[in-house]
Amino acid sequence: METVVSGIRSTGNLHLGNYFGAVQNFLKMQHENHCFFFIADYHSLTTHPKPDDLHSNIRQVLAEYLACGIDPEVATVFIQSDVPEVTELYLLLNMNAYVGELERTASFKEKIRKQPDNINAGLLTYPVLMAADIIIHRANKVPVGKDQEQHLEMTRRFARRFNTMYGVNYFPEPDAYNFGRQLVKIPGLDGTGKMGKSEGNGIFLADTPEAIRKKVMRAVTDTGPTEPKQKMSEPVKNLFTIMDVVSDHSTVKHFKEQYADCSIRYGDLKKQLAEDIIRFTTPIRERINEIVADRKYLAGVVAKGAEKARASASQTIRDVREIIGYRPFA
Ligand code: TYM
């Protein structure tokens, strides 16, 4: 039995990238393993949400995750800020995290480029807080998408460094996990890069069918293949990547054959893709709306989750303080 930790920032709604990158794996693991699932609301503070929005964002994202099928009766589902022990571990790990290595992190470099007017220290130490989230439960598996690979590598490094520094074998070195397959990267509809929350290129699980049709029909393509078996351009490859996860195998095969013999019409491909996405998201969207309205249910889930998560986290903090050399005065 593995210990599994999975997290999502409470910044923005859940999109297909989140689902196929991280949630799907978690759903498969939750019944056989010791699973923790949480909403990373401390991490979301790097983007400076307004106080009035913070709570509603957390509630929405929690409801969306539960709507996907995360079962709070089997997994521990909690809000990061309900477990203050994580901030203590974050502080302790920060003492052994070096500014140079944090500055070299790809996600930090990208933030510097994208938001030069808000390069806060929370962004720099983001991977340390993420490592604390994971190792506080001494997890060994972390279901994530490809974009989190480097953060996981850093988590292993911080865990190893702690063990070496104190001559213990306390923290396991956790793996980014996708059932032995490559980590997933779901692309956006804009032709380049990955689907993201703030890139304006995403399809959200809560999107209405009309919104999905509109977004897919507007997706970037090219002028079409002109010779048999022509190499696909990035935007067209991206549409096929999304189709691979939402459509039947025979549908994908049909359009790939049409591409190969140059008879493909991107309008038909997009129509089919939009309908397949809608088929996939509709039951989830309906559950989101039910769950988000059920405040009593959500309150019960997070109260129970916080209690279980704190029991696990506080044991780790006790052990870590002892290892580091904090001793009682008695
Ligand atoms: P976040 O909120 O950006 O994304 C949550 C999860 O969704 C995956 N993901 C994707 N996978 C495939 N294709 C995409 N286009 C795509 N976009 C997002 C992410 O890889 C992630 O698994 N740092 C984390 C939150 C976090 C966390 C943790 C995760 C904080 N502490 C501890 C795991 C364990 C983040 O920003 O994820």
mmCIF file of all heavy atoms in Angstrom, residues 5-9 15 17-18 20-22 38 40 43 65 80 126 129-130 133-134 142-148 151 184-187 194-197, ligand 1:
data_model
loop_
_atom_site.group_PDB
_atom_site.id
_atom_site.type_symbol
_atom_site.label_atom_id
_atom_site.label_comp_id
_atom_site.label_asym_id
_atom_site.label_seq_id
_atom_site.Cartn_x
_atom_site.Cartn_y
_atom_site.Cartn_z
ATOM 1 N N VAL A 5 -0.140 11.553 -2.275
ATOM 2 C CA VAL A 5 -0.603 12.921 -2.026
ATOM 3 C C VAL A 5 -0.841 13.605 -3.355
ATOM 4 O O VAL A 5 -0.014 13.526 -4.258
ATOM 5 C CB VAL A 5 0.424 13.736 -1.200
ATOM 6 C CG1 VAL A 5 0.098 15.226 -1.236
ATOM 7 C CG2 VAL A 5 0.445 13.260 0.246
ATOM 8 N N SER A 6 -1.995 14.256 -3.485
ATOM 9 C CA SER A 6 -2.282 14.994 -4.713
ATOM 10 C C SER A 6 -2.855 16.360 -4.359
ATOM 11 O O SER A 6 -3.619 16.484 -3.404
ATOM 12 C CB SER A 6 -3.292 14.202 -5.539
ATOM 13 O OG SER A 6 -3.529 14.877 -6.750
ATOM 14 N N GLY A 7 -2.469 17.370 -5.119
ATOM 15 C CA GLY A 7 -2.952 18.721 -4.807
ATOM 16 C C GLY A 7 -3.267 19.520 -6.047
ATOM 17 O O GLY A 7 -2.812 19.211 -7.145
ATOM 18 N N ILE A 8 -4.058 20.559 -5.835
ATOM 19 C CA ILE A 8 -4.436 21.469 -6.916
ATOM 20 C C ILE A 8 -4.556 22.855 -6.310
ATOM 21 O O ILE A 8 -5.098 23.008 -5.226
ATOM 22 C CB ILE A 8 -5.779 21.025 -7.529
ATOM 23 C CG1 ILE A 8 -6.437 22.105 -8.402
ATOM 24 C CG2 ILE A 8 -6.814 20.682 -6.491
ATOM 25 C CD1 ILE A 8 -6.230 21.864 -9.809
ATOM 26 N N ARG A 9 -4.049 23.847 -7.014
ATOM 27 C CA ARG A 9 -4.199 25.227 -6.527
ATOM 28 C C ARG A 9 -5.651 25.651 -6.620
ATOM 29 O O ARG A 9 -6.368 25.233 -7.528
ATOM 30 C CB ARG A 9 -3.375 26.177 -7.407
ATOM 31 C CG ARG A 9 -1.968 26.380 -6.936
ATOM 32 C CD ARG A 9 -1.217 27.173 -7.965
ATOM 33 N NE ARG A 9 -1.327 26.535 -9.272
ATOM 34 C CZ ARG A 9 -1.354 27.187 -10.423
ATOM 35 N NH1 ARG A 9 -1.298 28.492 -10.447
ATOM 36 N NH2 ARG A 9 -1.429 26.529 -11.568
ATOM 37 N N HIS A 15 -9.748 22.266 -15.377
ATOM 38 C CA HIS A 15 -9.859 22.079 -16.831
ATOM 39 C C HIS A 15 -9.469 20.652 -17.223
ATOM 40 O O HIS A 15 -9.074 19.846 -16.363
ATOM 41 C CB HIS A 15 -9.028 23.131 -17.572
ATOM 42 C CG HIS A 15 -7.596 23.214 -17.127
ATOM 43 N ND1 HIS A 15 -6.683 22.211 -17.324
ATOM 44 C CD2 HIS A 15 -6.929 24.208 -16.484
ATOM 45 C CE1 HIS A 15 -5.507 22.569 -16.841
ATOM 46 N NE2 HIS A 15 -5.624 23.768 -16.316
ATOM 47 N N GLY A 17 -6.943 19.541 -18.675
ATOM 48 C CA GLY A 17 -5.545 19.236 -18.336
ATOM 49 C C GLY A 17 -5.420 18.720 -16.920
ATOM 50 O O GLY A 17 -4.775 17.704 -16.667
ATOM 51 N N ASN A 18 -6.076 19.391 -15.980
ATOM 52 C CA ASN A 18 -6.051 18.939 -14.587
ATOM 53 C C ASN A 18 -6.631 17.524 -14.491
ATOM 54 O O ASN A 18 -6.071 16.655 -13.822
ATOM 55 C CB ASN A 18 -6.892 19.851 -13.686
ATOM 56 C CG ASN A 18 -6.389 21.279 -13.629
ATOM 57 O OD1 ASN A 18 -7.166 22.219 -13.756
ATOM 58 N ND2 ASN A 18 -5.104 21.463 -13.456
ATOM 59 N N PHE A 20 -7.071 15.055 -16.819
ATOM 60 C CA PHE A 20 -6.325 13.936 -17.413
ATOM 61 C C PHE A 20 -4.880 13.882 -16.930
ATOM 62 O O PHE A 20 -4.232 12.842 -17.027
ATOM 63 C CB PHE A 20 -6.418 13.987 -18.943
ATOM 64 C CG PHE A 20 -7.804 13.659 -19.423
ATOM 65 C CD1 PHE A 20 -8.647 14.645 -19.909
ATOM 66 C CD2 PHE A 20 -8.285 12.358 -19.344
ATOM 67 C CE1 PHE A 20 -9.933 14.346 -20.314
ATOM 68 C CE2 PHE A 20 -9.574 12.046 -19.744
ATOM 69 C CZ PHE A 20 -10.406 13.050 -20.234
ATOM 70 N N GLY A 21 -4.363 15.010 -16.410
ATOM 71 C CA GLY A 21 -2.993 15.009 -15.883
ATOM 72 C C GLY A 21 -2.908 14.436 -14.487
ATOM 73 O O GLY A 21 -1.970 13.703 -14.167
ATOM 74 N N ALA A 22 -3.890 14.761 -13.657
ATOM 75 C CA ALA A 22 -3.728 14.416 -12.243
ATOM 76 C C ALA A 22 -4.914 13.670 -11.636
ATOM 77 O O ALA A 22 -4.734 12.694 -10.906
ATOM 78 C CB ALA A 22 -3.468 15.692 -11.445
ATOM 79 N N PHE A 38 -5.738 17.358 -1.516
ATOM 80 C CA PHE A 38 -5.977 18.666 -0.895
ATOM 81 C C PHE A 38 -6.028 19.813 -1.896
ATOM 82 O O PHE A 38 -5.541 19.720 -3.016
ATOM 83 C CB PHE A 38 -4.903 18.939 0.166
ATOM 84 C CG PHE A 38 -3.570 19.286 -0.422
ATOM 85 C CD1 PHE A 38 -3.191 20.622 -0.508
ATOM 86 C CD2 PHE A 38 -2.719 18.312 -0.900
ATOM 87 C CE1 PHE A 38 -1.968 20.970 -1.058
ATOM 88 C CE2 PHE A 38 -1.501 18.653 -1.460
ATOM 89 C CZ PHE A 38 -1.127 19.976 -1.535
ATOM 90 N N ALA A 40 -4.675 23.426 -2.631
ATOM 91 C CA ALA A 40 -3.495 24.222 -2.247
ATOM 92 C C ALA A 40 -3.875 25.708 -2.241
ATOM 93 O O ALA A 40 -3.605 26.444 -3.177
ATOM 94 C CB ALA A 40 -2.352 23.942 -3.211
ATOM 95 N N HIS A 43 -0.758 28.121 -1.671
ATOM 96 C CA HIS A 43 -0.060 28.350 -2.941
ATOM 97 C C HIS A 43 -0.773 29.403 -3.790
ATOM 98 O O HIS A 43 -0.142 30.155 -4.520
ATOM 99 C CB HIS A 43 0.038 27.051 -3.751
ATOM 100 C CG HIS A 43 1.168 26.161 -3.339
ATOM 101 N ND1 HIS A 43 0.985 25.013 -2.616
ATOM 102 C CD2 HIS A 43 2.496 26.252 -3.551
ATOM 103 C CE1 HIS A 43 2.152 24.431 -2.407
ATOM 104 N NE2 HIS A 43 3.087 25.162 -2.961
ATOM 105 N N TYR A 65 -13.555 18.848 -7.719
ATOM 106 C CA TYR A 65 -12.802 17.609 -7.498
ATOM 107 C C TYR A 65 -13.692 16.492 -7.026
ATOM 108 O O TYR A 65 -13.594 15.358 -7.500
ATOM 109 C CB TYR A 65 -11.649 17.851 -6.521
ATOM 110 C CG TYR A 65 -10.415 18.098 -7.313
ATOM 111 C CD1 TYR A 65 -10.051 19.376 -7.675
ATOM 112 C CD2 TYR A 65 -9.672 17.032 -7.794
ATOM 113 C CE1 TYR A 65 -8.950 19.599 -8.460
ATOM 114 C CE2 TYR A 65 -8.573 17.248 -8.577
ATOM 115 C CZ TYR A 65 -8.208 18.535 -8.908
ATOM 116 O OH TYR A 65 -7.135 18.756 -9.689
ATOM 117 N N GLN A 80 -5.502 22.883 2.421
ATOM 118 C CA GLN A 80 -4.122 23.069 2.898
ATOM 119 C C GLN A 80 -4.062 23.979 4.138
ATOM 120 O O GLN A 80 -3.379 23.672 5.117
ATOM 121 C CB GLN A 80 -3.311 23.684 1.762
ATOM 122 C CG GLN A 80 -1.824 23.795 1.975
ATOM 123 C CD GLN A 80 -1.186 24.516 0.783
ATOM 124 O OE1 GLN A 80 -1.803 25.388 0.157
ATOM 125 N NE2 GLN A 80 0.035 24.130 0.444
ATOM 126 N N TYR A 126 7.988 28.415 -3.677
ATOM 127 C CA TYR A 126 6.832 27.579 -4.043
ATOM 128 C C TYR A 126 7.175 26.076 -3.991
ATOM 129 O O TYR A 126 6.432 25.272 -3.408
ATOM 130 C CB TYR A 126 6.358 28.006 -5.435
ATOM 131 C CG TYR A 126 5.098 27.384 -5.947
ATOM 132 C CD1 TYR A 126 3.920 28.122 -6.063
ATOM 133 C CD2 TYR A 126 5.061 26.048 -6.359
ATOM 134 C CE1 TYR A 126 2.759 27.555 -6.565
ATOM 135 C CE2 TYR A 126 3.908 25.478 -6.850
ATOM 136 C CZ TYR A 126 2.759 26.230 -6.949
ATOM 137 O OH TYR A 126 1.611 25.661 -7.438
ATOM 138 N N LEU A 129 7.252 24.692 -0.367
ATOM 139 C CA LEU A 129 5.926 24.455 0.216
ATOM 140 C C LEU A 129 5.308 23.193 -0.398
ATOM 141 O O LEU A 129 4.701 22.384 0.298
ATOM 142 C CB LEU A 129 5.021 25.682 -0.024
ATOM 143 C CG LEU A 129 3.597 25.605 0.528
ATOM 144 C CD1 LEU A 129 3.569 25.293 2.020
ATOM 145 C CD2 LEU A 129 2.838 26.910 0.264
ATOM 146 N N MET A 130 5.513 23.022 -1.688
ATOM 147 C CA MET A 130 4.965 21.823 -2.344
ATOM 148 C C MET A 130 5.635 20.554 -1.789
ATOM 149 O O MET A 130 4.965 19.547 -1.550
ATOM 150 C CB MET A 130 5.165 21.936 -3.860
ATOM 151 C CG MET A 130 4.669 20.738 -4.610
ATOM 152 S SD MET A 130 4.280 21.148 -6.326
ATOM 153 C CE MET A 130 4.178 19.505 -7.007
ATOM 154 N N ASP A 133 4.069 19.824 1.511
ATOM 155 C CA ASP A 133 2.749 19.194 1.333
ATOM 156 C C ASP A 133 2.859 17.683 1.171
ATOM 157 O O ASP A 133 2.006 16.927 1.649
ATOM 158 C CB ASP A 133 2.091 19.682 0.021
ATOM 159 C CG ASP A 133 1.666 21.126 0.062
ATOM 160 O OD1 ASP A 133 1.297 21.607 1.136
ATOM 161 O OD2 ASP A 133 1.711 21.775 -1.019
ATOM 162 N N ILE A 134 3.885 17.299 0.439
ATOM 163 C CA ILE A 134 4.004 15.888 0.058
ATOM 164 C C ILE A 134 4.663 15.071 1.168
ATOM 165 O O ILE A 134 4.144 14.046 1.601
ATOM 166 C CB ILE A 134 4.810 15.766 -1.254
ATOM 167 C CG1 ILE A 134 4.031 16.444 -2.394
ATOM 168 C CG2 ILE A 134 5.118 14.301 -1.578
ATOM 169 C CD1 ILE A 134 4.852 16.690 -3.648
ATOM 170 N N VAL A 142 2.968 10.566 -6.180
ATOM 171 C CA VAL A 142 2.276 11.847 -6.383
ATOM 172 C C VAL A 142 1.740 11.896 -7.821
ATOM 173 O O VAL A 142 2.510 12.071 -8.766
ATOM 174 C CB VAL A 142 3.236 13.040 -6.132
ATOM 175 C CG1 VAL A 142 2.469 14.352 -6.154
ATOM 176 C CG2 VAL A 142 3.964 12.885 -4.808
ATOM 177 N N PRO A 143 0.434 11.683 -7.990
ATOM 178 C CA PRO A 143 -0.118 11.729 -9.353
ATOM 179 C C PRO A 143 -0.165 13.179 -9.853
ATOM 180 O O PRO A 143 -0.909 13.997 -9.304
ATOM 181 C CB PRO A 143 -1.538 11.168 -9.207
ATOM 182 C CG PRO A 143 -1.809 11.053 -7.750
ATOM 183 C CD PRO A 143 -0.586 11.408 -6.977
ATOM 184 N N VAL A 144 0.633 13.483 -10.851
ATOM 185 C CA VAL A 144 0.710 14.853 -11.395
ATOM 186 C C VAL A 144 0.880 14.807 -12.908
ATOM 187 O O VAL A 144 1.235 13.780 -13.482
ATOM 188 C CB VAL A 144 1.924 15.645 -10.845
ATOM 189 C CG1 VAL A 144 1.693 16.152 -9.435
ATOM 190 C CG2 VAL A 144 3.211 14.831 -10.944
ATOM 191 N N GLY A 145 0.655 15.958 -13.541
ATOM 192 C CA GLY A 145 0.942 16.117 -14.961
ATOM 193 C C GLY A 145 2.413 16.437 -15.166
ATOM 194 O O GLY A 145 3.165 16.665 -14.214
ATOM 195 N N LYS A 146 2.795 16.447 -16.434
ATOM 196 C CA LYS A 146 4.193 16.626 -16.835
ATOM 197 C C LYS A 146 4.793 17.931 -16.278
ATOM 198 O O LYS A 146 5.968 17.995 -15.925
ATOM 199 C CB LYS A 146 4.219 16.630 -18.366
ATOM 200 C CG LYS A 146 5.552 16.792 -18.995
ATOM 201 C CD LYS A 146 6.070 15.468 -19.507
ATOM 202 C CE LYS A 146 7.458 15.618 -20.067
ATOM 203 N NZ LYS A 146 8.467 14.835 -19.400
ATOM 204 N N ASP A 147 3.965 18.975 -16.181
ATOM 205 C CA ASP A 147 4.482 20.280 -15.745
ATOM 206 C C ASP A 147 4.994 20.280 -14.309
ATOM 207 O O ASP A 147 5.708 21.198 -13.909
ATOM 208 C CB ASP A 147 3.396 21.358 -15.909
ATOM 209 C CG ASP A 147 2.161 21.058 -15.065
ATOM 210 O OD1 ASP A 147 1.760 19.894 -14.992
ATOM 211 O OD2 ASP A 147 1.624 21.992 -14.460
ATOM 212 N N GLN A 148 4.642 19.254 -13.523
ATOM 213 C CA GLN A 148 5.079 19.227 -12.120
ATOM 214 C C GLN A 148 6.295 18.329 -11.906
ATOM 215 O O GLN A 148 6.735 18.116 -10.774
ATOM 216 C CB GLN A 148 3.934 18.754 -11.211
ATOM 217 C CG GLN A 148 2.716 19.661 -11.233
ATOM 218 C CD GLN A 148 3.021 21.052 -10.704
ATOM 219 O OE1 GLN A 148 3.735 21.227 -9.722
ATOM 220 N NE2 GLN A 148 2.507 22.067 -11.381
ATOM 221 N N HIS A 151 9.169 19.946 -10.027
ATOM 222 C CA HIS A 151 8.856 20.157 -8.611
ATOM 223 C C HIS A 151 9.014 18.857 -7.813
ATOM 224 O O HIS A 151 9.448 18.865 -6.667
ATOM 225 C CB HIS A 151 7.438 20.706 -8.449
ATOM 226 C CG HIS A 151 7.295 22.131 -8.903
ATOM 227 N ND1 HIS A 151 6.090 22.703 -9.229
ATOM 228 C CD2 HIS A 151 8.216 23.100 -9.092
ATOM 229 C CE1 HIS A 151 6.276 23.962 -9.588
ATOM 230 N NE2 HIS A 151 7.559 24.221 -9.526
ATOM 231 N N VAL A 184 1.388 13.111 -18.273
ATOM 232 C CA VAL A 184 0.516 13.656 -19.314
ATOM 233 C C VAL A 184 0.684 15.173 -19.442
ATOM 234 O O VAL A 184 0.825 15.875 -18.450
ATOM 235 C CB VAL A 184 -0.960 13.340 -18.948
ATOM 236 C CG1 VAL A 184 -1.934 13.985 -19.922
ATOM 237 C CG2 VAL A 184 -1.172 11.837 -18.884
ATOM 238 N N LYS A 185 0.651 15.654 -20.690
ATOM 239 C CA LYS A 185 0.549 17.101 -20.900
ATOM 240 C C LYS A 185 -0.578 17.349 -21.904
ATOM 241 O O LYS A 185 -0.453 17.032 -23.083
ATOM 242 C CB LYS A 185 1.865 17.646 -21.449
ATOM 243 C CG LYS A 185 1.776 19.134 -21.770
ATOM 244 C CD LYS A 185 3.082 19.653 -22.305
ATOM 245 C CE LYS A 185 2.851 20.803 -23.266
ATOM 246 N NZ LYS A 185 4.061 21.208 -23.951
ATOM 247 N N ILE A 186 -1.681 17.884 -21.410
ATOM 248 C CA ILE A 186 -2.809 18.198 -22.299
ATOM 249 C C ILE A 186 -2.573 19.600 -22.858
ATOM 250 O O ILE A 186 -2.408 20.558 -22.096
ATOM 251 C CB ILE A 186 -4.150 18.137 -21.524
ATOM 252 C CG1 ILE A 186 -4.379 16.742 -20.926
ATOM 253 C CG2 ILE A 186 -5.322 18.538 -22.418
ATOM 254 C CD1 ILE A 186 -4.556 15.615 -21.918
ATOM 255 N N PRO A 187 -2.560 19.735 -24.191
ATOM 256 C CA PRO A 187 -2.299 21.050 -24.775
ATOM 257 C C PRO A 187 -3.531 21.957 -24.730
ATOM 258 O O PRO A 187 -4.642 21.485 -24.508
ATOM 259 C CB PRO A 187 -1.948 20.704 -26.227
ATOM 260 C CG PRO A 187 -2.667 19.425 -26.492
ATOM 261 C CD PRO A 187 -2.768 18.682 -25.200
ATOM 262 N N LYS A 194 0.722 24.212 -23.017
ATOM 263 C CA LYS A 194 -0.222 23.347 -22.306
ATOM 264 C C LYS A 194 -1.489 24.100 -21.942
ATOM 265 O O LYS A 194 -1.498 25.325 -21.859
ATOM 266 C CB LYS A 194 0.430 22.783 -21.052
ATOM 267 C CG LYS A 194 0.774 23.841 -20.029
ATOM 268 C CD LYS A 194 0.994 23.256 -18.645
ATOM 269 C CE LYS A 194 1.222 24.396 -17.667
ATOM 270 N NZ LYS A 194 0.900 24.162 -16.319
ATOM 271 N N MET A 195 -2.534 23.317 -21.721
ATOM 272 C CA MET A 195 -3.784 23.917 -21.262
ATOM 273 C C MET A 195 -3.556 24.450 -19.857
ATOM 274 O O MET A 195 -2.969 23.766 -19.019
ATOM 275 C CB MET A 195 -4.885 22.852 -21.262
ATOM 276 C CG MET A 195 -6.248 23.402 -20.969
ATOM 277 S SD MET A 195 -7.568 22.178 -21.143
ATOM 278 C CE MET A 195 -7.725 21.983 -22.893
ATOM 279 N N GLY A 196 -3.977 25.691 -19.616
ATOM 280 C CA GLY A 196 -3.747 26.282 -18.300
ATOM 281 C C GLY A 196 -4.973 27.022 -17.806
ATOM 282 O O GLY A 196 -5.948 27.200 -18.538
ATOM 283 N N LYS A 197 -4.893 27.438 -16.528
ATOM 284 C CA LYS A 197 -6.051 28.103 -15.926
ATOM 285 C C LYS A 197 -6.153 29.541 -16.374
ATOM 286 O O LYS A 197 -7.238 30.086 -16.479
ATOM 287 C CB LYS A 197 -5.909 28.087 -14.406
ATOM 288 C CG LYS A 197 -6.132 26.720 -13.853
ATOM 289 C CD LYS A 197 -5.834 26.668 -12.380
ATOM 290 C CE LYS A 197 -6.023 25.247 -11.902
ATOM 291 N NZ LYS A 197 -5.218 24.914 -10.772
HETATM 292 P P1 TYM B 1 -2.048 22.988 -10.648
HETATM 293 O O1 TYM B 1 -3.135 23.504 -9.793
HETATM 294 O O2 TYM B 1 -1.444 23.884 -11.650
HETATM 295 O O3 TYM B 1 -2.521 21.701 -11.414
HETATM 296 C C1 TYM B 1 -3.064 20.593 -10.717
HETATM 297 C C2 TYM B 1 -2.659 19.303 -11.386
HETATM 298 O O4 TYM B 1 -3.056 19.313 -12.755
HETATM 299 C C3 TYM B 1 -1.937 19.021 -13.591
HETATM 300 N N1 TYM B 1 -2.052 19.782 -14.845
HETATM 301 C C4 TYM B 1 -1.924 19.247 -16.066
HETATM 302 N N2 TYM B 1 -1.683 17.988 -16.465
HETATM 303 C C5 TYM B 1 -1.648 17.757 -17.792
HETATM 304 N N3 TYM B 1 -1.834 18.705 -18.740
HETATM 305 C C6 TYM B 1 -2.081 19.987 -18.388
HETATM 306 N N4 TYM B 1 -2.294 20.900 -19.313
HETATM 307 C C7 TYM B 1 -2.123 20.309 -17.004
HETATM 308 N N5 TYM B 1 -2.338 21.459 -16.295
HETATM 309 C C8 TYM B 1 -2.282 21.116 -14.987
HETATM 310 C C9 TYM B 1 -0.724 19.457 -12.799
HETATM 311 O O5 TYM B 1 0.424 18.758 -13.218
HETATM 312 C C10 TYM B 1 -1.133 19.088 -11.397
HETATM 313 O O6 TYM B 1 -0.858 17.743 -11.138
HETATM 314 N N6 TYM B 1 1.969 22.906 -7.749
HETATM 315 C C11 TYM B 1 0.723 22.236 -8.004
HETATM 316 C C12 TYM B 1 -0.201 22.184 -6.806
HETATM 317 C C13 TYM B 1 0.399 21.488 -5.645
HETATM 318 C C14 TYM B 1 0.633 20.085 -5.522
HETATM 319 C C15 TYM B 1 1.196 19.924 -4.239
HETATM 320 C C16 TYM B 1 0.423 18.994 -6.355
HETATM 321 C C17 TYM B 1 0.784 22.089 -4.500
HETATM 322 N N7 TYM B 1 1.273 21.131 -3.641
HETATM 323 C C18 TYM B 1 1.538 18.652 -3.783
HETATM 324 C C19 TYM B 1 0.771 17.736 -5.893
HETATM 325 C C20 TYM B 1 1.325 17.563 -4.605
HETATM 326 C C21 TYM B 1 0.004 23.028 -9.091
HETATM 327 O O7 TYM B 1 0.216 24.194 -9.294
HETATM 328 O O8 TYM B 1 -0.924 22.344 -9.734
#
